[in-house]
Amino acid sequence: MRTRPTLTWEPPSGEVFARTTSLDAMVDLVAGRGVVVLSGAGLSTESGIPDYRGKSGALRRHTPMTYEDFAGSAQARQRYWARSHLGWRAMAGAQPNVGHRAVAALRASGHVDGVITQNVDGLHQAAGTLPEVVDLHGSLDRVICLTCGVFSERTELERRLNEANPVFDGVAARINPDGDVELAEDAVRRFRSVDCDSCGEGVLKPDVVFFGENVPKARVERCKELVDGAAALLVLGSSLTVMSGLRFVRRAAEAGKPVVIVNQGLTRGDRYASERIEAPLGAALVELVGRVGAAADLG
């Protein structure tokens, strides 16, 4: 069963928890080691990829594709692929920022045991955070056929889309966290999508979890294992609006594990946090690496 997507969230009246700009709680948490990181779109904004719900978040002007729309409408799929085709160029060209590199340094030094990311941009891996990055919502660099189940590389799909649209002249107005862009409807109507190259007729979908779609059970179980084995949870740049990420914050808190949230703005998980820090992530993580002695060149 697929659930109704949660796109926005407002705190209950009067429920606002104190926040601080001090990084001491985050430093103490990570210095103790055994930390699992849960990262969100706020970590990738310094790489040029906007978040959904910040001050300039994409949800203020963009409604993400839902699974129901994508699976049920050929027009919706044409619109998605036309816009995502342009968006992929920007996503593929995005580079890890200093925050991603700091997380990689903390993983290499043994302070961080694993990373669960809600992002689909692959920037943790590009920064060298290996092993143990779980792409909770999948990754844009793979494609799956909804008919035959075969996976393929996004680069191969882009080659086929370029061949099918040799004179496509759409211009992206803005990229969104899901790789979608703003694109004029007349450009969308001129775009030709392609079917699965394996079975010849299947519907192709990026290997990401759309709004209203469930995260694969095996992936959820792996995340639970990471959280259960962790000493603490550090949330970086997520509003925790969607349950797919919030449930791990709840799980850690219910197990009596400290949860520190670093985010610019309120989050749906604030009630579960032992500390809530308001700070720009890049600078905060650089300071964190220095203070816990995780030597790394973050330039």
Side-chain angles (χ1 to χ4, degrees), residues 141-196:
D141 64 1
R142 293 204 313 171
V143 178
I144 184 172
C145 173
L146 296 183
T147 301
C148 69
V150 168
F151 288 95
S152 57
E153 297 296 319
R154 180 65 179 263
T155 50
E156 173 60 18
L157 174 61
E158 290 301 311
R159 182 192 65 76
R160 296 179 60 214
L161 289 175
N162 283 328
E163 288 182 353
N165 298 274
V167 294
F168 183 60
D169 56 357
V171 177
R174 175 187 173 89
I175 188 172
N176 297 303
D178 55 1
D180 199 355
V181 300
E182 294 180 6
L183 182 64
E185 280 301 312
D186 61 332
V188 169
R189 288 192 294 269
R190 293 195 302 270
F191 187 80
R192 290 184 58 205
S193 55
V194 297
D195 294 326
C196 175

Side-chain angles (χ1 to χ4, degrees), residues 36-44 99-100 103 112 114-125 129 132-137 223 233-240 242 244-246 248-249 260-263 281 285:
V36 165
V37 166
L38 172 62
S39 70
L43 187 62
S44 291
H100 296 108
V103 172
V112 166
V115 175
I116 301 167
T117 184
Q118 296 174 283
N119 301 336
V120 296
D121 52 36
L123 292 180
H124 274 299
Q125 292 89 336
T129 306
E132 209 56 85
V133 176
V134 179
D135 292 314
L136 183 62
H137 294 155
C223 292
L233 185 65
L234 176 62
V235 180
L236 301 176
S238 176
S239 67
L240 299 169
V242 295
S244 59
L246 178 63
F248 301 119
V249 172
V260 171
I261 298 175
V262 189
N263 189 60
L281 278 174
L285 289 169

Side-chain angles (χ1 to χ4, degrees), residues 11-294:
S13 178
E15 185 182 84
V16 178
F17 297 90
R19 303 182 73 80
T20 180
T21 58
S22 170
L23 304 184
D24 291 350
M26 177 171 64
V27 172
D28 291 344
L29 189 84
V30 174
R33 299 178 180 262
V35 174
V36 165
V37 166
L38 172 62
S39 70
L43 187 62
S44 291
T45 56
E46 293 180 38
S47 293
I49 302 172
D51 62 10
Y52 276 121
R53 300 175 179 86
K55 292 180 180 179
S56 59
L59 282 183
R60 296 175 183 269
R61 55 183 61 83
H62 165 69
T63 300
M65 178 63 68
T66 66
Y67 184 88
E68 182 180 8
D69 288 342
F70 186 89
S73 168
Q75 287 183 325
R77 293 192 292 273
Q78 180 189 37
R79 184 170 66 254
Y80 176 84
W81 282 119
R83 290 158 41 149
S84 185
H85 180 54
L86 292 180
W88 171 251
R89 300 172 188 174
M91 295 292 283
Q95 297 297 314
N97 63 55
V98 69
H100 296 108
R101 294 194 292 273
V103 172
L106 293 167
R107 176 71 183 98
S109 66
H111 289 88
V112 166
D113 286 352
V115 175
I116 301 167
T117 184
Q118 296 174 283
N119 301 336
V120 296
D121 52 36
L123 292 180
H124 274 299
Q125 292 89 336
T129 306
L130 295 171
E132 209 56 85
V133 176
V134 179
D135 292 314
L136 183 62
H137 294 155
S139 180
L140 282 170
D141 64 1
R142 293 204 313 171
V143 178
I144 184 172
C145 173
L146 296 183
T147 301
C148 69
V150 168
F151 288 95
S152 57
E153 297 296 319
R154 180 65 179 263
T155 50
E156 173 60 18
L157 174 61
E158 290 301 311
R159 182 192 65 76
R160 296 179 60 214
L161 289 175
N162 283 328
E163 288 182 353
N165 298 274
V167 294
F168 183 60
D169 56 357
V171 177
R174 175 187 173 89
I175 188 172
N176 297 303
D178 55 1
D180 199 355
V181 300
E182 294 180 6
L183 182 64
E185 280 301 312
D186 61 332
V188 169
R189 288 192 294 269
R190 293 195 302 270
F191 187 80
R192 290 184 58 205
S193 55
V194 297
D195 294 326
C196 175
D197 198 31
S198 180
C199 67
E201 59 183 17
V203 171
L204 295 176
K205 173 185 172 290
D207 186 26
V208 300
V209 177
F210 283 163
F211 282 86
E213 184 178 8
N214 291 334
V215 177
K217 184 176 180 180
R219 198 177 300 164
V220 172
E221 292 304 314
R222 180 57 191 140
C223 292
K224 288 179 179 178
E225 290 174 2
L226 283 174
V227 172
D228 291 349
L233 185 65
L234 176 62
V235 180
L236 301 176
S238 176
S239 67
L240 299 169
T241 296
V242 295
M243 186 57 65
S244 59
L246 178 63
R247 61 180 144 189
F248 301 119
V249 172
R250 287 180 172 177
R251 190 178 185 90
E254 289 169 359
K257 300 179 181 186
V259 176
V260 171
I261 298 175
V262 189
N263 189 60
Q264 291 189 290
L266 303 177
T267 84
R268 196 178 175 190
D270 281 355
R271 67 170 66 182
Y272 305 105
S274 48
E275 195 73 60
R276 291 156 293 274
I277 300 172
E278 184 96 15
L281 278 174
L285 289 169
V286 169
E287 181 176 336
L288 172 63
V289 166
R291 289 178 64 179
V292 301

